[in-house]
Amino acid sequence: MIVTKHAKQRMKQRCGLKDKSSERMAKIAYEKGLRHHDLTGNLKKWVDGLYLRNHSANQIRLYADKAYIFTGVKLITVLQIPHNLVKEADKLRKNKEQEQ
């Protein structure tokens, strides 16, 4: 797992994580985060918009209330999920955990 300098800055700013924690959190988000095929409705539309704005982002994972944007296994940046979509993401995450 590779975390870019920009991603480390964004994780510090938006998640409150230090440099050492950023790689561990990126790995957790990549493995356990919601993928595009897990999403529905407005949340899926929002993620589609993220992809259209940044075509190099071929892996977008939603974990907790953040969107982790990857190119392969390299974390590029971290964004906050819009407030009105956080509940939908939580519901989908709970459904995914119950299926496993």
Side-chain angles (χ1 to χ4, degrees):
M1 185 67 48
I2 300 167
V3 180
T4 64
K5 183 178 178 181
H6 175 79
K8 286 181 181 182
Q9 290 173 343
R10 293 299 167 249
M11 290 179 91
K12 183 176 182 179
Q13 177 186 17
R14 297 178 177 146
C15 305
L17 297 176
K18 305 239 182 205
D19 284 350
K20 292 181 180 180
S21 303
S22 62
E23 288 184 28
R24 186 176 73 240
M25 189 63 197
K27 184 177 179 185
I28 291 170
Y30 189 82
E31 293 172 354
K32 296 184 179 182
L34 293 171
R35 298 176 179 201
H36 185 263
H37 69 272
D38 298 327
L39 306 177
T40 60
N42 289 332
L43 194 58
K44 190 169 193 167
K45 289 178 187 176
W46 181 73
V47 170
D48 288 342
L50 288 178
Y51 175 74
L52 291 174
R53 277 181 251 135
N54 186 356
H55 290 291
S56 65
N58 60 3
Q59 300 283 333
I60 297 176
R61 300 284 201 269
L62 304 183
Y63 187 76
D65 61 342
K66 306 285 188 278
Y68 294 81
I69 301 179
F70 294 88
T71 296
V73 293
K74 182 192 290 187
L75 180 63
I76 299 171
T77 193
V78 179
L79 300 172
Q80 178 70 39
I81 297 174
H83 182 70
N84 61 327
L85 299 175
V86 172
K87 286 183 182 179
E88 187 176 341
D90 287 339
K91 190 187 320 181
L92 290 171
R93 187 174 25 264
K94 287 177 186 176
N95 289 340
K96 183 180 177 182
E97 289 173 359
Q98 288 176 353
E99 291 174 2
Q100 293 176 348

